[in-house]
Amino acid sequence: MKPQIVTVSTTQHNYPIVIGRGLIAVADTYLLANGALRRVCILCDEALVDRYLEPLKNVLQNAGAEICCMIVPSGEKSKSIEYVHKVTEKFLEFGIERQDRLICLGGGVIGDLGGLCASLLLRGIPYIQIPTTLLAQVDSSVGGKTGINSLSGKNLIGSFYQPELVLSDLQMLDSLPHREFMAGYAEIVKYGVIGDEAFFTYLENNIEGLKKRDDTILAYVIEQSCRHKATIVSQDVHEKNIRALLNLGHSFGHAIEAICGYSNHILHGEAVALGMVLAARYSKRKELCQSCDVHRIETHLQQAGFDIELHTYKKYIKDAAQIIQFMQKDKKNKTGRMRLILLKSIGKSFMYDDVDVEDVHTFLQEQLTNTI
């Protein structure tokens, strides 16, 4: 399969997203395109050491690079101030300089943590994303959002800092557990729902092939997702306006994740899928979209295997007020007012500023107690 390249254009610089199979084996070729390799720091998820870290190290060492590796535990708990300190100190002790590179080898946690560390080290060093999950390949590795979690919520400490290169190797998806693989699919569906009804229809027609990880379908949906995000990011790097649309479902989803302790009770993609359904249902409640659009979204996400009912998680969530508490700390909010991404139809989303918090509370309590 010939690699596909999507270019992201930003005010910082332009960079390629390379999508193909077997890219790790030729990673040096892509890195050398931006200059000689001297020192390379690799931040890696502990679960990937045997499968991917050693092959990558071998390729880079054969190209003449001196390597320093930092292994961090899997999971959202690594997106913390503690690990920012550990990672930056480790790489500074190694002697990293501004022309050297940091490689993020892992899923969204590694990409978010590593990107933030790259933006801080020596006030900014180049970094490369090698995303190893579907979710990271279609979303978190693209667009330069970096960040860690705080006690107040998800990704509230971070920076906008663009990578030098993204290598999305389809081979890395082969070993993903089914649940984790499908969790990433929620972000793919999101692109169709926010701005491309034809793409959503394609997903409806090809979900079974995607669940079987058909390479042709997989490569196409990853490429299209990256193109959608690249187009939006190029127009709004710092999320001043339209980039916020990429957060469809995230206001609800991030709150649910936080309440569940960023644990396996609900994965990020599962929270986004549930959040999309809540956003669609709330749009219908406000008479902004039709029941048929909500039904299509619900049906497709259920076909993909997602649990789309909030009351499933009521053993972790005390009441709707707990969700509202986290939603009121969302980054999209402005002048103390809650803002939501809502729908007019599939393919037409918008920022809704006129949010009645009490009405959202009532809506969530109904969803939580299943009284509708």
Side-chain angles (χ1 to χ4, degrees):
M1 174 182 292
K2 181 180 178 181
Q4 300 297 309
I5 298 178
V6 176
T7 300
V8 182
S9 301
T10 74
T11 51
Q12 287 184 357
H13 59 262
N14 299 344
Y15 59 92
I17 305 166
V18 185
I19 304 161
R21 179 168 285 275
L23 298 180
I24 279 283
V26 291
D28 57 324
T29 303
Y30 293 101
L31 268 66
L32 285 167
N34 291 312
L37 298 176
R38 193 179 74 94
R39 286 193 175 104
V40 177
C41 296
I42 304 176
L43 184 66
C44 181
D45 186 307
E46 65 179 359
L48 305 176
V49 172
D50 294 335
R51 187 180 295 272
Y52 299 124
L53 178 58
E54 291 306 316
L56 178 61
K57 282 174 60 179
N58 291 337
V59 168
L60 298 179
Q61 285 170 338
N62 289 339
E66 185 181 354
I67 307 293
C68 176
C69 298
M70 175 79 180
I71 313 300
V72 299
S74 302
E76 288 279 337
K77 296 296 174 67
S78 291
K79 285 177 55 171
S80 66
I81 288 288
E82 175 190 0
Y83 275 97
V84 170
H85 178 73
K86 288 181 177 181
V87 171
T88 52
E89 287 294 342
K90 171 86 170 181
F91 292 155
L92 287 171
E93 289 173 8
F94 175 58
I96 194 167
E97 297 179 359
R98 281 182 174 169
Q99 72 273 20
D100 298 328
R101 284 82 171 269
L102 188 159
I103 295 178
C104 305
L105 179 64
V109 168
I110 295 297
D112 287 356
L113 173 63
L116 179 58
C117 291
S119 75
L120 297 172
L121 282 162
L122 307 177
R123 296 192 175 94
I125 65 169
Y127 76 110
I128 292 94
Q129 293 273 17
I130 305 183
T132 59
T133 66
L134 182 59
L135 190 149
Q137 290 189 4
V138 300
D139 185 60
S140 61
S141 69
V142 181
K145 270 190 179 181
T146 76
I148 56 174
N149 302 328
S150 78
L151 295 177
S152 295
K154 188 178 175 75
N155 296 332
L156 295 182
I157 302 169
S159 63
F160 290 96
Y161 191 65
Q162 303 297 329
E164 179 182 66
L165 168 70
V166 180
L167 293 180
S168 291
D169 191 339
L170 300 184
Q171 187 173 332
M172 293 182 162
L173 304 180
D174 293 345
S175 58
L176 275 184
H178 179 76
R179 183 187 178 195
E180 188 174 352
F181 177 83
M182 291 309 299
Y185 182 64
E187 296 284 5
I188 295 173
V189 175
K190 175 193 73 179
Y191 293 112
V193 175
I194 64 171
D196 190 344
E197 195 271 342
F199 183 53
F200 185 83
T201 300
Y202 175 88
L203 296 176
E204 288 178 307
N205 294 334
N206 290 277
I207 179 60
E208 295 305 323
L210 187 134
K211 285 197 287 189
K212 296 174 183 176
R213 310 190 195 193
D214 178 281
D215 254 16
T216 302
I217 297 172
L218 197 52
Y220 177 76
V221 299
I222 292 172
E223 178 191 353
Q224 289 301 306
S225 297
C226 289
R227 288 194 188 281
H228 279 294
K229 186 161 188 180
T231 298
I232 291 175
V233 168
S234 67
Q235 298 175 62
D236 181 20
V237 172
H238 296 106
E239 202 172 295
K240 300 294 185 183
N241 44 73
I242 66 167
R243 185 168 179 174
L245 297 179
L246 294 169
N247 289 311
L248 173 69
H250 287 61
S251 297
F252 295 110
H254 280 173
I256 296 164
E257 274 190 278
I259 294 167
C260 290
Y262 304 116
S263 67
N264 280 337
H265 296 320
I266 188 166
L267 302 181
H268 174 68
E270 294 167 342
V272 169
L274 176 54
M276 266 195 290
V277 169
L278 292 173
R281 288 175 180 172
Y282 191 69
S283 298
K284 172 62 174 62
R285 179 187 180 92
K286 304 303 289 184
E287 299 183 344
L288 298 167
C289 76
Q290 301 296 313
S291 297
C292 58
D293 291 309
V294 179
H295 179 69
R296 282 181 72 189
I297 294 168
E298 291 174 336
T299 300
H300 184 62
L301 289 172
Q302 284 180 312
Q303 190 177 4
F306 291 105
D307 190 322
I308 61 168
E309 299 301 336
L310 184 61
H311 59 80
T312 301
Y313 301 94
K314 62 185 178 183
K315 59 183 173 182
Y316 310 113
I317 303 171
K318 291 188 298 185
D319 52 31
Q322 191 180 16
I323 304 174
I324 293 290
Q325 180 181 2
F326 280 98
M327 291 179 69
Q328 289 179 321
K329 297 173 184 175
D330 189 89
K331 297 183 294 299
K332 294 186 297 302
N333 295 345
K334 188 175 183 180
T335 62
R337 292 183 61 84
M338 185 183 294
R339 309 171 86 197
L340 295 173
I341 310 302
L342 298 181
L343 302 174
K344 294 181 180 178
S345 64
I346 292 174
K348 293 183 179 179
S349 59
F350 70 105
M351 178 70 76
Y352 186 71
D353 291 313
D354 192 25
V355 176
D356 181 339
V357 176
E358 287 301 317
D359 187 52
V360 176
H361 179 279
T362 300
F363 164 74
L364 288 171
Q365 195 61 42
E366 291 171 350
Q367 295 289 318
L368 192 59
T369 56
N370 196 25
T371 58
I372 55 173

